[in-house]
Amino acid sequence: MKRRRKHYRRRGGIGLSAAVTLCLAGSLLVFARAGGEEFAQDLIGRLAGNGDFIARAVSLELGLLPETAEVYAPRTAAAARSEDADDPLAESTYIPLEEENDAPVLDAADKAATITVNNETSYDVDVAACLASNTTIRAEGDGPQVLIVHTHGSESYTPDASFPYTPTENTRTTDTCYNVVRVGDELQKVLEENGVQAVHIRDIFDSPAYSGSYDRSLAAIEDALAEYPTIKVVIDVHRDSILTDDGTAYKTSCTIDGEEMAQLMFVVGTDEGGLYHPDWQDNLNYVTNLQYQLNRSYPGLMRPVNLRTQRFNQHASPGSMLVEVGSSGNTMPEALAAIRLFGQTLADDLTGA
């Protein structure tokens, strides 16, 4: 598998080291306070257009070199506006992910260096311990092994020539040819082509009423688990939304074997919000081990694991996960390309291939 390293594109100006960047910013602040405010503002404006300067500033904040950071590619979408304020997944924060070293990985501590967890809880997370747990789930016996569901099934993508639909407000549609239900169809197809039977609930739980969508999807999950006791993994497929105040939608993008595709992100729920979820650590262990495999096979495909205070119905079954497939700025082909790689990796993991 080819491994491509993302780089910031320089749009002119000079390259600045992180130290020089910091010193320059501090000098401008002192100069402005000493009476040179007009000149300082003009220079700051010029630096704002210098991609390398911005990249270095970001690297100082995040502790990453620009040469190893995945970057957003903007796409303006007139229909994209702020997500519903009640949506606990709206406006997720993107954190760049360093590409993995090609050297062999020998132990959990080495593996942990390739995993980033964006921890939004007060719980301490030991990534090495998660990986050392070697949490695995195997497809066994006859019957469905995976359940695919969409709590926010109307979430859709930026239209393009191959998927030219008309989205409703907030980049949503109930047409399952153009929303995340279509992504779930693709995931089911890949799993079954690789020997893993899957059940796909194609219902739209967030329309016409967005409120209560998690309650409705939980009821459907519990019914499916009762009907198919062989199910071992439950996947809630979403797409993220990353918007600016002026309505610009950003996409999470990576290039693998020359093909541009959406990035994916695991969202892991906990009990910190007060809801019953005693086994969330097991889910985190499982997802972390799966993320490691994906990082090894497809560097850049995965955004950092996002650990949250909400539980996202993940108490319903061990092996539950929420997967964000791109953002509203991505196109459907980019989302489908990414979910195929995820499906192949998950199938291999479940079958021990």
Side-chain angles (χ1 to χ4, degrees):
M1 184 64 62
K2 293 182 181 178
R3 300 191 175 199
R4 295 177 176 267
R5 185 172 295 277
K6 303 287 279 190
H7 296 273
Y8 284 105
R9 295 179 61 187
R10 184 171 297 169
R11 296 186 177 181
I14 59 174
L16 301 175
S17 70
V20 172
T21 300
L22 183 59
C23 291
L24 179 57
S27 299
L28 284 172
L29 179 60
V30 172
F31 185 72
R33 291 180 176 178
E37 182 175 353
E38 182 176 351
F39 175 79
Q41 287 181 348
D42 178 67
L43 185 54
I44 289 172
R46 295 188 182 191
L47 288 174
N50 186 314
D52 190 69
F53 178 83
I54 298 300
R56 294 292 175 180
V58 171
S59 71
L60 283 170
E61 175 68 20
L62 298 176
L64 297 174
L65 293 177
E67 290 77 10
T68 63
E70 294 292 332
V71 298
Y72 284 132
R75 181 188 305 277
T76 298
R81 299 187 179 89
S82 298
E83 295 284 348
D84 191 314
D86 293 330
D87 182 359
L89 293 177
E91 305 299 327
S92 293
T93 301
Y94 173 74
I95 296 180
L97 174 64
E98 290 191 47
E99 290 191 19
E100 177 192 9
N101 192 299
D102 288 330
V105 174
L106 301 178
D107 56 31
D110 290 329
K111 291 181 181 180
T114 73
I115 303 291
T116 302
V117 176
N118 180 14
N119 186 359
E120 299 186 26
T121 75
S122 63
Y123 296 136
D124 292 330
V125 174
D126 185 339
V127 176
C130 293
L131 292 164
S133 70
N134 291 320
T135 302
T136 57
I137 297 176
R138 290 287 183 261
E140 297 175 344
D142 298 327
Q145 307 289 315
V146 175
L147 174 63
I148 304 167
V149 66
H150 310 275
T151 296
H152 298 152
S154 70
E155 293 174 333
S156 58
Y157 298 90
T158 295
D160 72 342
S162 57
F163 287 86
Y165 78 103
T166 301
T168 57
E169 188 176 4
N170 297 333
T171 319
R172 297 177 184 273
T173 179
T174 56
D175 188 332
T176 56
C177 293
Y178 303 107
N179 58 31
V180 291
V181 176
R182 172 67 182 85
V183 178
D185 289 337
E186 194 72 14
L187 176 57
Q188 181 183 29
K189 175 184 176 183
V190 172
L191 290 172
E192 295 191 341
E193 286 176 346
N194 288 275
V196 178
Q197 189 174 347
V199 174
H200 185 196
I201 299 175
R202 305 179 80 252
D203 297 14
I204 305 292
F205 297 110
D206 60 338
S207 179
Y210 190 86
S211 178
S213 53
Y214 273 96
D215 292 334
R216 291 188 287 274
S217 65
L218 176 59
I221 290 170
E222 291 175 338
D223 287 346
L225 292 174
E227 183 176 357
Y228 304 105
T230 55
I231 289 174
K232 296 180 176 63
V233 173
V234 178
I235 308 173
D236 194 353
V237 178
H238 291 245
R239 68 105 177 98
D240 206 350
S241 178
I242 306 167
L243 305 171
T244 61
D245 290 339
D246 65 359
T248 300
Y250 281 75
K251 67 178 182 179
T252 59
S253 177
C254 64
T255 302
I256 297 176
D257 279 352
E259 182 178 9
E260 184 179 11
M261 61 185 67
Q263 287 182 303
L264 309 178
M265 180 174 71
F266 288 125
V267 178
V268 179
T270 68
D271 60 0
E272 189 169 53
L275 296 178
Y276 178 81
H277 188 12
D279 300 320
W280 66 266
Q281 182 69 58
D282 293 337
N283 286 347
L284 179 61
N285 293 345
Y286 177 57
V287 161
T288 303
N289 278 274
L290 189 57
Q291 173 109 356
Y292 171 72
Q293 296 177 50
L294 287 158
N295 286 352
R296 289 286 290 178
S297 299
Y298 310 109
L301 177 65
M302 302 302 297
R303 296 162 64 189
V305 176
N306 189 204
L307 187 67
R308 304 287 287 272
T309 61
Q310 300 89 353
R311 70 179 181 183
F312 303 116
N313 290 342
Q314 293 173 11
H315 66 296
S317 173
S320 292
M321 66 181 78
L322 189 155
V323 182
E324 297 271 17
V325 182
S327 184
S328 56
N330 287 99
T331 63
M332 179 65 77
E334 291 167 347
L336 295 177
I339 205 65
R340 290 184 194 110
L341 299 186
F342 170 77
Q344 180 67 62
T345 301
L346 178 60
D348 290 345
D349 184 64
L350 288 171
T351 59

Short mmCIF file of all heavy atoms in Angstrom, two decimals, residues 135 137 144-149 217-226 228-236 267-269 276-287 311-322 350:
data_model
loop_
_atom_site.label_atom_id
_atom_site.label_comp_id
_atom_site.label_asym_id
_atom_site.label_seq_id
_atom_site.Cartn_x
_atom_site.Cartn_y
_atom_site.Cartn_z
N THR A 135 -8.41 -6.48 22.75
CA THR A 135 -9.84 -6.75 22.64
C THR A 135 -10.20 -7.09 21.20
O THR A 135 -9.97 -6.30 20.29
CB THR A 135 -10.66 -5.53 23.09
OG1 THR A 135 -10.30 -5.22 24.44
CG2 THR A 135 -12.15 -5.81 23.01
N ILE A 137 -13.21 -9.17 18.60
CA ILE A 137 -14.53 -9.77 18.43
C ILE A 137 -14.49 -10.60 17.17
O ILE A 137 -14.03 -10.12 16.12
CB ILE A 137 -15.63 -8.69 18.33
CG1 ILE A 137 -15.70 -7.89 19.63
CG2 ILE A 137 -16.98 -9.32 18.02
CD1 ILE A 137 -16.69 -6.73 19.59
N PRO A 144 -26.52 -13.08 11.25
CA PRO A 144 -25.88 -11.76 11.15
C PRO A 144 -24.91 -11.51 12.30
O PRO A 144 -25.20 -11.86 13.45
CB PRO A 144 -27.06 -10.79 11.19
CG PRO A 144 -28.26 -11.61 10.80
CD PRO A 144 -27.99 -12.98 11.30
N GLN A 145 -23.78 -10.88 11.97
CA GLN A 145 -22.77 -10.56 12.97
C GLN A 145 -22.68 -9.05 13.23
O GLN A 145 -22.19 -8.63 14.27
CB GLN A 145 -21.39 -11.05 12.50
CG GLN A 145 -21.35 -12.51 12.10
CD GLN A 145 -21.46 -13.44 13.29
OE1 GLN A 145 -20.82 -13.23 14.32
NE2 GLN A 145 -22.29 -14.47 13.18
N VAL A 146 -23.15 -8.25 12.26
CA VAL A 146 -23.03 -6.79 12.35
C VAL A 146 -24.39 -6.16 12.13
O VAL A 146 -25.16 -6.58 11.25
CB VAL A 146 -22.03 -6.25 11.30
CG1 VAL A 146 -22.00 -4.72 11.31
CG2 VAL A 146 -20.63 -6.80 11.56
N LEU A 147 -24.68 -5.14 12.93
CA LEU A 147 -25.89 -4.33 12.75
C LEU A 147 -25.47 -2.92 12.37
O LEU A 147 -24.66 -2.30 13.05
CB LEU A 147 -26.71 -4.29 14.04
CG LEU A 147 -27.93 -3.36 14.05
CD1 LEU A 147 -28.97 -3.79 13.02
CD2 LEU A 147 -28.55 -3.28 15.45
N ILE A 148 -26.04 -2.41 11.28
CA ILE A 148 -25.76 -1.05 10.81
C ILE A 148 -27.02 -0.22 10.98
O ILE A 148 -28.11 -0.63 10.58
CB ILE A 148 -25.34 -1.04 9.33
CG1 ILE A 148 -24.13 -1.95 9.11
CG2 ILE A 148 -25.03 0.38 8.85
CD1 ILE A 148 -23.84 -2.25 7.64
N VAL A 149 -26.86 0.95 11.60
CA VAL A 149 -28.02 1.81 11.87
C VAL A 149 -27.60 3.25 11.67
O VAL A 149 -26.40 3.57 11.63
CB VAL A 149 -28.54 1.57 13.32
CG1 VAL A 149 -27.51 2.03 14.34
CG2 VAL A 149 -29.89 2.22 13.56
N SER A 217 -33.83 5.36 17.61
CA SER A 217 -32.85 4.42 17.08
C SER A 217 -32.51 3.34 18.11
O SER A 217 -32.27 2.18 17.75
CB SER A 217 -31.58 5.14 16.63
OG SER A 217 -30.91 5.74 17.72
N LEU A 218 -32.51 3.70 19.40
CA LEU A 218 -32.24 2.69 20.44
C LEU A 218 -33.31 1.61 20.43
O LEU A 218 -33.00 0.41 20.56
CB LEU A 218 -32.17 3.37 21.81
CG LEU A 218 -31.99 2.42 23.00
CD1 LEU A 218 -30.72 1.61 22.87
CD2 LEU A 218 -32.01 3.21 24.32
N ALA A 219 -34.56 2.00 20.28
CA ALA A 219 -35.64 1.01 20.24
C ALA A 219 -35.44 0.05 19.07
O ALA A 219 -35.64 -1.17 19.21
CB ALA A 219 -36.99 1.71 20.13
N ALA A 220 -35.02 0.59 17.92
CA ALA A 220 -34.79 -0.26 16.75
C ALA A 220 -33.59 -1.18 16.97
O ALA A 220 -33.61 -2.35 16.56
CB ALA A 220 -34.57 0.62 15.52
N ILE A 221 -32.55 -0.68 17.63
CA ILE A 221 -31.37 -1.50 17.91
C ILE A 221 -31.74 -2.65 18.84
O ILE A 221 -31.36 -3.81 18.62
CB ILE A 221 -30.26 -0.63 18.55
CG1 ILE A 221 -29.67 0.33 17.50
CG2 ILE A 221 -29.16 -1.51 19.12
CD1 ILE A 221 -28.75 1.37 18.09
N GLU A 222 -32.49 -2.35 19.88
CA GLU A 222 -32.87 -3.39 20.83
C GLU A 222 -33.76 -4.44 20.19
O GLU A 222 -33.61 -5.65 20.46
CB GLU A 222 -33.58 -2.74 22.03
CG GLU A 222 -32.64 -1.91 22.90
CD GLU A 222 -33.37 -1.16 24.01
OE1 GLU A 222 -34.59 -0.95 23.88
OE2 GLU A 222 -32.70 -0.80 25.00
N ASP A 223 -34.64 -4.03 19.29
CA ASP A 223 -35.48 -5.00 18.57
C ASP A 223 -34.62 -5.90 17.69
O ASP A 223 -34.84 -7.13 17.62
CB ASP A 223 -36.52 -4.27 17.71
CG ASP A 223 -37.64 -3.64 18.54
OD1 ASP A 223 -37.76 -3.98 19.74
OD2 ASP A 223 -38.36 -2.79 17.99
N ALA A 224 -33.65 -5.31 17.01
CA ALA A 224 -32.78 -6.10 16.12
C ALA A 224 -31.92 -7.08 16.92
O ALA A 224 -31.72 -8.23 16.49
CB ALA A 224 -31.91 -5.16 15.29
N LEU A 225 -31.40 -6.64 18.06
CA LEU A 225 -30.58 -7.53 18.88
C LEU A 225 -31.40 -8.69 19.42
O LEU A 225 -30.90 -9.82 19.56
CB LEU A 225 -29.96 -6.75 20.04
CG LEU A 225 -28.90 -5.70 19.66
CD1 LEU A 225 -28.46 -4.90 20.89
CD2 LEU A 225 -27.69 -6.38 19.01
N ALA A 226 -32.67 -8.45 19.73
CA ALA A 226 -33.55 -9.52 20.20
C ALA A 226 -33.85 -10.50 19.07
O ALA A 226 -33.93 -11.72 19.28
CB ALA A 226 -34.84 -8.93 20.75
N TYR A 228 -31.96 -10.98 16.29
CA TYR A 228 -30.72 -11.59 15.79
C TYR A 228 -29.69 -11.64 16.91
O TYR A 228 -28.79 -10.79 16.99
CB TYR A 228 -30.16 -10.80 14.61
CG TYR A 228 -31.12 -10.60 13.47
CD1 TYR A 228 -31.75 -9.37 13.27
CD2 TYR A 228 -31.41 -11.64 12.58
CE1 TYR A 228 -32.62 -9.18 12.21
CE2 TYR A 228 -32.29 -11.46 11.52
CZ TYR A 228 -32.89 -10.23 11.35
OH TYR A 228 -33.76 -10.04 10.30
N PRO A 229 -29.77 -12.62 17.79
CA PRO A 229 -28.84 -12.69 18.93
C PRO A 229 -27.39 -12.95 18.52
O PRO A 229 -26.49 -12.86 19.36
CB PRO A 229 -29.40 -13.85 19.76
CG PRO A 229 -30.21 -14.67 18.80
CD PRO A 229 -30.77 -13.70 17.81
N THR A 230 -27.14 -13.27 17.25
CA THR A 230 -25.77 -13.50 16.78
C THR A 230 -25.01 -12.20 16.54
O THR A 230 -23.79 -12.23 16.33
CB THR A 230 -25.80 -14.31 15.47
OG1 THR A 230 -26.63 -13.64 14.51
CG2 THR A 230 -26.33 -15.71 15.71
N ILE A 231 -25.70 -11.06 16.55
CA ILE A 231 -25.03 -9.78 16.27
C ILE A 231 -24.00 -9.47 17.36
O ILE A 231 -24.30 -9.53 18.55
CB ILE A 231 -26.06 -8.64 16.18
CG1 ILE A 231 -26.88 -8.78 14.90
CG2 ILE A 231 -25.38 -7.27 16.22
CD1 ILE A 231 -28.02 -7.79 14.77
N LYS A 232 -22.80 -9.12 16.92
CA LYS A 232 -21.71 -8.83 17.85
C LYS A 232 -21.21 -7.40 17.77
O LYS A 232 -20.54 -6.92 18.69
CB LYS A 232 -20.55 -9.79 17.60
CG LYS A 232 -20.91 -11.25 17.87
CD LYS A 232 -19.73 -12.16 17.61
CE LYS A 232 -20.09 -13.60 17.99
NZ LYS A 232 -21.19 -14.11 17.15
N VAL A 233 -21.47 -6.73 16.64
CA VAL A 233 -20.99 -5.36 16.45
C VAL A 233 -22.15 -4.50 15.98
O VAL A 233 -22.87 -4.88 15.05
CB VAL A 233 -19.84 -5.30 15.42
CG1 VAL A 233 -19.46 -3.85 15.11
CG2 VAL A 233 -18.62 -6.05 15.94
N VAL A 234 -22.34 -3.35 16.63
CA VAL A 234 -23.37 -2.39 16.23
C VAL A 234 -22.68 -1.11 15.78
O VAL A 234 -21.90 -0.52 16.53
CB VAL A 234 -24.34 -2.08 17.39
CG1 VAL A 234 -25.38 -1.04 16.94
CG2 VAL A 234 -25.03 -3.36 17.87
N ILE A 235 -22.96 -0.68 14.55
CA ILE A 235 -22.30 0.50 13.97
C ILE A 235 -23.35 1.56 13.64
O ILE A 235 -24.24 1.32 12.82
CB ILE A 235 -21.53 0.13 12.69
CG1 ILE A 235 -20.58 -1.04 12.93
CG2 ILE A 235 -20.76 1.35 12.17
CD1 ILE A 235 -19.91 -1.55 11.67
N ASP A 236 -23.24 2.71 14.28
CA ASP A 236 -24.10 3.85 13.99
C ASP A 236 -23.33 4.77 13.03
O ASP A 236 -22.34 5.39 13.44
CB ASP A 236 -24.46 4.58 15.28
CG ASP A 236 -25.61 5.56 15.11
OD1 ASP A 236 -26.04 5.78 13.96
OD2 ASP A 236 -26.06 6.13 16.12
N VAL A 267 -16.38 7.83 17.34
CA VAL A 267 -16.86 8.56 18.50
C VAL A 267 -17.26 7.53 19.55
O VAL A 267 -18.10 6.66 19.28
CB VAL A 267 -18.06 9.47 18.15
CG1 VAL A 267 -18.56 10.19 19.41
CG2 VAL A 267 -17.67 10.49 17.09
N VAL A 268 -16.65 7.61 20.72
CA VAL A 268 -16.88 6.62 21.77
C VAL A 268 -17.59 7.30 22.94
O VAL A 268 -17.12 8.31 23.46
CB VAL A 268 -15.56 5.99 22.25
CG1 VAL A 268 -15.82 4.98 23.37
CG2 VAL A 268 -14.84 5.32 21.09
N GLY A 269 -18.72 6.75 23.35
CA GLY A 269 -19.50 7.29 24.45
C GLY A 269 -19.07 6.73 25.79
O GLY A 269 -18.46 5.67 25.88
N TYR A 276 -26.61 5.28 32.13
CA TYR A 276 -26.07 3.95 32.40
C TYR A 276 -25.22 3.46 31.22
O TYR A 276 -25.70 3.37 30.09
CB TYR A 276 -27.21 2.97 32.64
CG TYR A 276 -26.78 1.54 32.88
CD1 TYR A 276 -26.32 1.13 34.13
CD2 TYR A 276 -26.83 0.60 31.85
CE1 TYR A 276 -25.92 -0.18 34.35
CE2 TYR A 276 -26.44 -0.71 32.07
CZ TYR A 276 -25.99 -1.10 33.30
OH TYR A 276 -25.61 -2.40 33.51
N HIS A 277 -23.95 3.19 31.48
CA HIS A 277 -23.07 2.66 30.43
C HIS A 277 -21.81 2.12 31.10
O HIS A 277 -20.72 2.67 30.96
CB HIS A 277 -22.73 3.76 29.44
CG HIS A 277 -21.98 3.29 28.22
ND1 HIS A 277 -21.84 1.96 27.89
CD2 HIS A 277 -21.32 3.99 27.26
CE1 HIS A 277 -21.14 1.85 26.79
NE2 HIS A 277 -20.82 3.07 26.37
N PRO A 278 -21.93 1.02 31.86
CA PRO A 278 -20.81 0.53 32.67
C PRO A 278 -19.66 -0.07 31.87
O PRO A 278 -18.55 -0.18 32.39
CB PRO A 278 -21.47 -0.54 33.55
CG PRO A 278 -22.62 -1.04 32.74
CD PRO A 278 -23.13 0.17 32.01
N ASP A 279 -19.90 -0.45 30.62
CA ASP A 279 -18.88 -1.16 29.85
C ASP A 279 -18.25 -0.30 28.76
O ASP A 279 -17.72 -0.82 27.77
CB ASP A 279 -19.49 -2.42 29.22
CG ASP A 279 -20.04 -3.37 30.27
OD1 ASP A 279 -19.40 -3.53 31.33
OD2 ASP A 279 -21.12 -3.95 30.03
N TRP A 280 -18.27 1.03 28.92
CA TRP A 280 -17.74 1.89 27.87
C TRP A 280 -16.26 1.67 27.63
O TRP A 280 -15.78 1.81 26.50
CB TRP A 280 -18.01 3.37 28.21
CG TRP A 280 -17.28 3.90 29.41
CD1 TRP A 280 -17.75 3.96 30.67
CD2 TRP A 280 -15.96 4.44 29.43
NE1 TRP A 280 -16.80 4.51 31.51
CE2 TRP A 280 -15.70 4.82 30.77
CE3 TRP A 280 -14.98 4.64 28.47
CZ2 TRP A 280 -14.48 5.38 31.16
CZ3 TRP A 280 -13.77 5.20 28.85
CH2 TRP A 280 -13.53 5.57 30.19
N GLN A 281 -15.52 1.29 28.68
CA GLN A 281 -14.08 1.06 28.50
C GLN A 281 -13.82 -0.10 27.53
O GLN A 281 -12.87 -0.06 26.75
CB GLN A 281 -13.43 0.76 29.85
CG GLN A 281 -11.92 0.56 29.78
CD GLN A 281 -11.15 1.82 29.46
OE1 GLN A 281 -11.25 2.82 30.18
NE2 GLN A 281 -10.38 1.80 28.37
N ASP A 282 -14.68 -1.13 27.57
CA ASP A 282 -14.53 -2.24 26.64
C ASP A 282 -14.72 -1.77 25.20
O ASP A 282 -14.00 -2.20 24.29
CB ASP A 282 -15.54 -3.35 26.96
CG ASP A 282 -15.27 -4.03 28.29
OD1 ASP A 282 -14.10 -3.98 28.76
OD2 ASP A 282 -16.20 -4.60 28.87
N ASN A 283 -15.69 -0.89 25.00
CA ASN A 283 -15.89 -0.35 23.66
C ASN A 283 -14.69 0.46 23.21
O ASN A 283 -14.27 0.41 22.05
CB ASN A 283 -17.14 0.54 23.62
CG ASN A 283 -18.43 -0.25 23.65
OD1 ASN A 283 -18.44 -1.46 23.46
ND2 ASN A 283 -19.54 0.43 23.91
N LEU A 284 -14.12 1.26 24.12
CA LEU A 284 -12.93 2.05 23.79
C LEU A 284 -11.76 1.14 23.45
O LEU A 284 -11.02 1.40 22.49
CB LEU A 284 -12.57 2.98 24.96
CG LEU A 284 -11.32 3.84 24.75
CD1 LEU A 284 -11.48 4.77 23.55
CD2 LEU A 284 -11.01 4.64 26.02
N ASN A 285 -11.59 0.07 24.22
CA ASN A 285 -10.51 -0.88 23.93
C ASN A 285 -10.66 -1.47 22.52
O ASN A 285 -9.69 -1.56 21.76
CB ASN A 285 -10.51 -2.01 24.95
CG ASN A 285 -10.13 -1.55 26.34
OD1 ASN A 285 -9.60 -0.47 26.53
ND2 ASN A 285 -10.41 -2.39 27.34
N TYR A 286 -11.88 -1.86 22.19
CA TYR A 286 -12.13 -2.47 20.89
C TYR A 286 -11.87 -1.49 19.76
O TYR A 286 -11.19 -1.80 18.77
CB TYR A 286 -13.57 -2.98 20.83
CG TYR A 286 -13.96 -3.58 19.50
CD1 TYR A 286 -13.24 -4.63 18.95
CD2 TYR A 286 -15.05 -3.09 18.78
CE1 TYR A 286 -13.59 -5.18 17.72
CE2 TYR A 286 -15.41 -3.62 17.56
CZ TYR A 286 -14.68 -4.67 17.04
OH TYR A 286 -15.02 -5.20 15.82
N VAL A 287 -12.40 -0.28 19.88
CA VAL A 287 -12.25 0.73 18.84
C VAL A 287 -10.78 1.13 18.68
O VAL A 287 -10.30 1.34 17.56
CB VAL A 287 -13.14 1.95 19.17
CG1 VAL A 287 -12.68 3.18 18.40
CG2 VAL A 287 -14.59 1.65 18.82
N ARG A 311 -23.47 8.89 25.76
CA ARG A 311 -23.25 7.45 25.54
C ARG A 311 -23.63 6.99 24.13
O ARG A 311 -23.22 5.91 23.70
CB ARG A 311 -24.00 6.62 26.57
CG ARG A 311 -25.52 6.62 26.42
CD ARG A 311 -26.19 5.75 27.45
NE ARG A 311 -27.64 5.75 27.28
CZ ARG A 311 -28.48 5.12 28.10
NH1 ARG A 311 -28.01 4.45 29.13
NH2 ARG A 311 -29.79 5.16 27.87
N PHE A 312 -24.44 7.75 23.40
CA PHE A 312 -24.77 7.47 22.00
C PHE A 312 -25.31 6.05 21.77
O PHE A 312 -24.98 5.41 20.77
CB PHE A 312 -23.55 7.70 21.11
CG PHE A 312 -22.98 9.08 21.23
CD1 PHE A 312 -21.70 9.28 21.73
CD2 PHE A 312 -23.72 10.19 20.86
CE1 PHE A 312 -21.17 10.56 21.85
CE2 PHE A 312 -23.20 11.48 20.96
CZ PHE A 312 -21.93 11.66 21.47
N ASN A 313 -26.10 5.55 22.71
CA ASN A 313 -26.73 4.22 22.60
C ASN A 313 -25.71 3.08 22.63
O ASN A 313 -26.07 1.93 22.33
CB ASN A 313 -27.58 4.11 21.32
CG ASN A 313 -28.83 4.96 21.38
OD1 ASN A 313 -29.25 5.39 22.44
ND2 ASN A 313 -29.43 5.21 20.21
N GLN A 314 -24.48 3.36 22.98
CA GLN A 314 -23.44 2.32 22.91
C GLN A 314 -23.47 1.37 24.10
O GLN A 314 -22.66 0.44 24.17
CB GLN A 314 -22.07 2.99 22.75
CG GLN A 314 -21.92 3.68 21.41
CD GLN A 314 -20.65 4.49 21.28
OE1 GLN A 314 -19.74 4.40 22.11
NE2 GLN A 314 -20.56 5.32 20.25
N HIS A 315 -24.42 1.59 25.00
CA HIS A 315 -24.60 0.66 26.11
C HIS A 315 -25.41 -0.56 25.69
O HIS A 315 -25.49 -1.55 26.42
CB HIS A 315 -25.35 1.35 27.25
CG HIS A 315 -26.76 1.72 26.89
ND1 HIS A 315 -27.07 2.64 25.90
CD2 HIS A 315 -27.96 1.28 27.37
CE1 HIS A 315 -28.37 2.75 25.79
NE2 HIS A 315 -28.94 1.94 26.68
N ALA A 316 -26.01 -0.49 24.50
CA ALA A 316 -26.93 -1.54 24.07
C ALA A 316 -26.23 -2.87 23.84
O ALA A 316 -26.83 -3.93 24.04
CB ALA A 316 -27.66 -1.11 22.80
N SER A 317 -24.98 -2.82 23.44
CA SER A 317 -24.27 -4.06 23.10
C SER A 317 -22.77 -3.83 23.14
O SER A 317 -22.29 -2.76 22.75
CB SER A 317 -24.68 -4.54 21.70
OG SER A 317 -23.91 -5.64 21.29
N PRO A 318 -22.00 -4.84 23.60
CA PRO A 318 -20.54 -4.75 23.44
C PRO A 318 -20.22 -4.64 21.95
O PRO A 318 -20.95 -5.13 21.10
CB PRO A 318 -20.05 -6.08 24.02
CG PRO A 318 -21.15 -6.55 24.90
CD PRO A 318 -22.42 -6.08 24.26
N GLY A 319 -19.12 -3.98 21.64
CA GLY A 319 -18.76 -3.84 20.24
C GLY A 319 -19.55 -2.76 19.54
O GLY A 319 -19.65 -2.75 18.31
N SER A 320 -20.14 -1.83 20.30
CA SER A 320 -20.89 -0.73 19.69
C SER A 320 -19.93 0.40 19.34
O SER A 320 -18.99 0.69 20.08
CB SER A 320 -21.96 -0.21 20.64
OG SER A 320 -22.97 -1.17 20.83
N MET A 321 -20.18 1.05 18.21
CA MET A 321 -19.34 2.17 17.80
C MET A 321 -20.15 3.16 16.97
O MET A 321 -21.17 2.80 16.37
CB MET A 321 -18.14 1.67 16.96
CG MET A 321 -18.53 1.06 15.62
SD MET A 321 -17.11 0.46 14.68
CE MET A 321 -16.78 -1.08 15.54
N LEU A 322 -19.70 4.40 16.99
CA LEU A 322 -20.26 5.44 16.13
C LEU A 322 -19.16 5.87 15.19
O LEU A 322 -18.05 6.21 15.63
CB LEU A 322 -20.78 6.62 16.96
CG LEU A 322 -21.59 7.69 16.23
CD1 LEU A 322 -22.52 8.41 17.22
CD2 LEU A 322 -20.71 8.71 15.53
N LEU A 350 -12.99 -9.26 11.97
CA LEU A 350 -14.03 -10.16 12.50
C LEU A 350 -13.76 -11.61 12.11
O LEU A 350 -14.08 -12.53 12.88
CB LEU A 350 -15.39 -9.72 11.99
CG LEU A 350 -15.95 -8.43 12.58
CD1 LEU A 350 -17.21 -8.00 11.83
CD2 LEU A 350 -16.29 -8.62 14.06
#
